[in-house]
Amino acid sequence: MTVQVASIFGAVVAVSFGAIGPAFAEGRAIQAAMEAIARQPEAGPTISRSLFVGLAMIEAMAIYCLVVALVLLFANPFVK
Amino acid sequence: MTSPLHEPELFRLGPLSVSGSLLTSAGVTLFLSGFSLVLRSRLRPEPGRVQAICEVIVTTLLEQIEEVTRKDGRPYLPLLGTLFLFLLCANSLSLFPGLAPPTERLETVFALSLTVFVSVYFFGIRRHGLWRYLKHFFRPTPLLFPIHLLSEITRTFSLSMRLFGNLMSHGLILAVIVSVAGLLVPIPIIAFGLFTGAVQAYIFTVLASVYIAAAVEDHTPESTQGAHRA
């Protein structure tokens, strides 16, 4: 297997498996926020602001995987 | 397919390499500052329509900053408000044909997050003085100094990567969809991209204000925890 083929597989694995964890995490975060807002609608603005910031934190993990995949595809240090 | 990590050079201006994102971000800056300068010269006690809209925007920004920092937000309004408005305009640039948001390039987002990085130190040192501010790196024990240092670097890096990744991946997805299905199908995706851009501008600003708030707050043992958010 050449380095190019290995990099393509690496990029696929990075994005596909890297999307699983954040997807679960975002689902759980939104579920908890929805329950909290349903229980206490007057706390909605505060909860949704924290939700957005938290989602951004979680999403950063998926973005890192995407960046790793892009580095493998476009800026691979082992391919001349 | 061109690499989204590398930006082609349009032309050279002496030693300066000019790229598309440089031109578009300069254009957004010129638009915002020109608009503000024109508006400032026409400020009146009884506001017209444009002035009323701008007053609502500025007051809302101030309220949001004060809710996040839980302090008087006026020292931070110029920086954070400008960041938000710049990002909002820059992320919506994909509406215009032929233009791309400058924030989908690494250079722009690194410059923006470096601004936040430096301003955190600026506000922290101005509030506490140089020595007292630097001492917070050695709290609660000097053993944590490497962790503090790491968190300073990684949170700046992740701030820029979040913005870059979201904007760039939206452009990538759009390119794939256009190449698969032509007319009308990409329109909802473009609309969703506008929403993503606005949310990312909001998140960037909120995180910047969280970092600044953590730098200027009084360092009691239980309140330093906000500083470790990556």
Side-chain angles (χ1 to χ4, degrees):
Chain A
M1 194 152 63
T2 60
V3 179
Q4 279 89 345
V5 179
S7 321
I8 291 172
F9 275 110
V12 170
V13 168
V15 167
S16 53
F17 284 92
I20 294 175
F24 272 115
E26 294 202 343
R28 293 199 53 160
I30 293 171
Q31 178 199 11
M34 288 296 131
E35 279 172 7
I37 292 177
R39 215 166 278 166
Q40 252 188 320
E42 69 275 8
T46 318
I47 294 173
S48 44
R49 192 176 59 240
S50 318
L51 175 71
F52 270 122
V53 174
L55 284 185
M57 297 289 172
I58 301 166
E59 198 188 38
M61 299 298 127
I63 301 279
Y64 291 155
C65 297
L66 178 70
V67 170
V68 168
L70 286 176
V71 166
L72 279 178
L73 291 180
F74 293 112
N76 199 324
F78 301 109
V79 177
K80 275 184 275 308
Chain B
M1 194 168 163
T2 54
S3 161
L5 298 174
H6 172 255
E7 168 139 53
E9 176 185 306
L10 285 183
F11 57 90
R12 290 193 81 86
L13 212 69
L16 194 69
S17 156
V18 177
S19 59
S21 66
L22 187 66
L23 288 181
T24 43
S25 52
V28 172
T29 314
L30 279 181
F31 167 72
L32 281 177
S33 28
F35 182 77
S36 324
L37 283 177
V38 169
L39 194 75
R40 193 182 66 172
S41 63
R42 294 183 186 175
L43 282 184
R44 268 178 286 122
E46 58 281 350
R49 195 176 292 164
V50 181
Q51 189 187 337
I53 294 174
C54 292
E55 280 178 7
V56 168
I57 292 175
V58 171
T59 345
T60 316
L61 282 172
L62 187 62
E63 275 170 15
Q64 290 289 322
I65 292 170
E66 285 182 346
E67 266 182 44
V68 174
T69 57
R70 301 187 184 285
K71 280 190 181 60
D72 181 21
R74 274 170 296 172
Y76 319 117
L77 180 66
L79 175 78
L80 296 172
T82 313
L83 261 183
F84 178 73
L85 291 178
F86 176 80
L87 283 174
L88 198 64
C89 293
N91 292 352
S92 320
L93 266 189
S94 52
L95 268 187
F96 299 99
L99 290 182
T103 39
E104 64 177 37
R105 296 295 175 185
L106 278 174
E107 300 88 341
T108 321
V109 293
F110 271 129
L112 286 173
S113 62
L114 270 183
T115 314
V116 174
F117 178 75
V118 173
S119 60
V120 165
Y121 279 82
F122 173 76
F123 285 120
I125 290 173
R126 198 177 67 169
R127 170 82 174 74
H128 295 294
L130 178 65
W131 188 238
R132 249 190 87 203
Y133 181 69
L134 289 185
K135 254 198 332 206
H136 100 271
F137 281 107
F138 298 96
R139 275 163 207 260
T141 71
L143 279 180
L144 285 181
F145 175 67
I147 309 282
H148 274 288
L149 214 57
L150 195 67
S151 107
E152 293 284 317
I153 297 167
T154 50
R155 77 182 190 188
T156 309
F157 183 73
S158 77
L159 194 63
S160 57
M161 275 301 146
R162 184 176 302 121
L163 189 60
F164 164 73
N166 274 289
L167 270 290
M168 182 269 308
S169 60
H170 175 255
L172 220 58
I173 290 168
L174 208 58
V176 170
I177 285 178
V178 166
S179 69
V180 172
L183 203 64
L184 295 182
V185 184
I187 292 177
I189 314 284
I190 295 174
F192 182 68
L194 282 181
F195 173 70
T196 320
V199 168
Q200 289 307 317
Y202 173 72
I203 284 171
F204 193 95
T205 318
V206 165
L207 285 178
S209 39
V210 165
Y211 296 157
I212 290 175
V216 296
E217 79 190 357
D218 302 314
H219 297 300
T220 50
E222 65 275 3
S223 65
T224 44
Q225 282 170 0
H228 306 306
R229 284 208 211 166

